[in-house]
């Protein structure tokens, strides 16, 4: 982007991508995002979604998608014959989505998932004082990073046909 004037015709496009730094940890709670399907687009067309957008597919990502999403910005620009910007004609700044704070206790979540290592099952720990969820583990787990970067057909087939039902 910094050298775009030296390379006319090269356009840098930014694509948002989620990162899940703890991998499979709390993956069923957090969920994952993926490209919006035609059916999802039809159901949410009035909410500003467009083909190619990413949308929450499972977990918190799905349940709070509208709050996490924010709004895309827009810039209409006049350019010369080699694509250099001359003048901004109109602009709407992007609006970031809201932050979400969960009650999940990371250390307790790790213990719950370690207890489930190698077996199918689930663990939920709730604070009896206020009902907040401190841990919610399900095994086998999935790595949401794979969904964020896009699964190959082979990877999807392995997940969707796994007899342990990780999804």
């Amino acid at each position: 982007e910094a050298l775009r004037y030296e390379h006319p015709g090269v356009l840098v496009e930014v694509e948002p991508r989620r990162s899940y730094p703890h991998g499979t940890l709390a993956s069923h709670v957090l969920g994952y995002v993926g490209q919006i399907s035609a059916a999802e687009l039809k159901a949410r067309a009035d909410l500003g979604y467009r083909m190619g957008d990413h949308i929450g597919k499972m977990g918190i990502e799905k349940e709070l998608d509208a709050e996490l999403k924010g709004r895309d910005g827009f810039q209409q620009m006049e350019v010369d014959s080699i694509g250099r910007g001359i003048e901004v004609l109109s602009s709407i700044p992007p609006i970031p989505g809201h932050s979400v704070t969960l009650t999940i206790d990371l250390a307790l979540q790790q213990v719950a998932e370690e207890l489930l290592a190698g077996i199918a099952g689930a663990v939920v720990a709730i604070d009896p004082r206020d009902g907040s969820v401190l841990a919610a583990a399900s095994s086998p787990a999935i790595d949401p990073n794979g969904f964020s970067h896009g699964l190959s057909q082979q990877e999807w087939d392995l997940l969707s046909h796994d007899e342990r039902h990780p999804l």
Side-chain angles (χ1 to χ4, degrees), residues 34-37 41 48-55 69 72:
Q35 198 168 82
I36 193 167
S37 69
L41 181 61
Y49 289 93
R50 297 184 311 248
M51 193 51 89
D53 281 351
H54 284 78
I55 188 168
K69 181 182 183 321
D72 293 340

Side-chain angles (χ1 to χ4, degrees), residues 80-103:
D80 64 16
S81 62
I82 58 172
R84 288 184 296 202
I86 297 173
E87 178 184 2
V88 175
L89 303 174
S90 64
S91 178
I92 298 172
I95 300 171
H98 297 286
S99 294
V100 175
T101 302
L102 304 179
T103 58

Side-chain angles (χ1 to χ4, degrees), residues 5 16-17 19-21 39 49 70 73 80 85-86 89 92 115 126 130 139-140 148 153-154 159 164:
Y5 297 107
R17 182 170 285 174
S19 173
Y20 303 92
Y49 289 93
D80 64 16
I86 297 173
L89 303 174
I92 298 172
L115 291 170
I126 298 174
D130 61 11
S139 178
S148 180
Q153 186 62 49
Q154 182 181 5
L159 270 175
R164 299 172 305 151

Side-chain angles (χ1 to χ4, degrees), residues 41-49 71:
L41 181 61
K42 185 176 180 182
R44 292 175 174 85
D46 59 329
L47 298 175
Y49 289 93
R71 295 281 178 181

Side-chain angles (χ1 to χ4, degrees), residues 136-157:
S138 181
S139 178
I142 58 169
D143 187 347
N145 286 301
F147 292 94
S148 180
H149 302 106
L151 294 175
S152 69
Q153 186 62 49
Q154 182 181 5
E155 291 169 321
W156 173 251
D157 289 343

Side-chain angles (χ1 to χ4, degrees), residues 1 4-5 7-12 75-90:
E1 181 69 20
R4 70 180 182 181
Y5 297 107
H7 305 282
V10 174
L11 175 65
V12 176
Q75 188 174 63
Q76 183 179 19
M77 180 174 270
E78 180 181 354
V79 297
D80 64 16
S81 62
I82 58 172
R84 288 184 296 202
I86 297 173
E87 178 184 2
V88 175
L89 303 174
S90 64

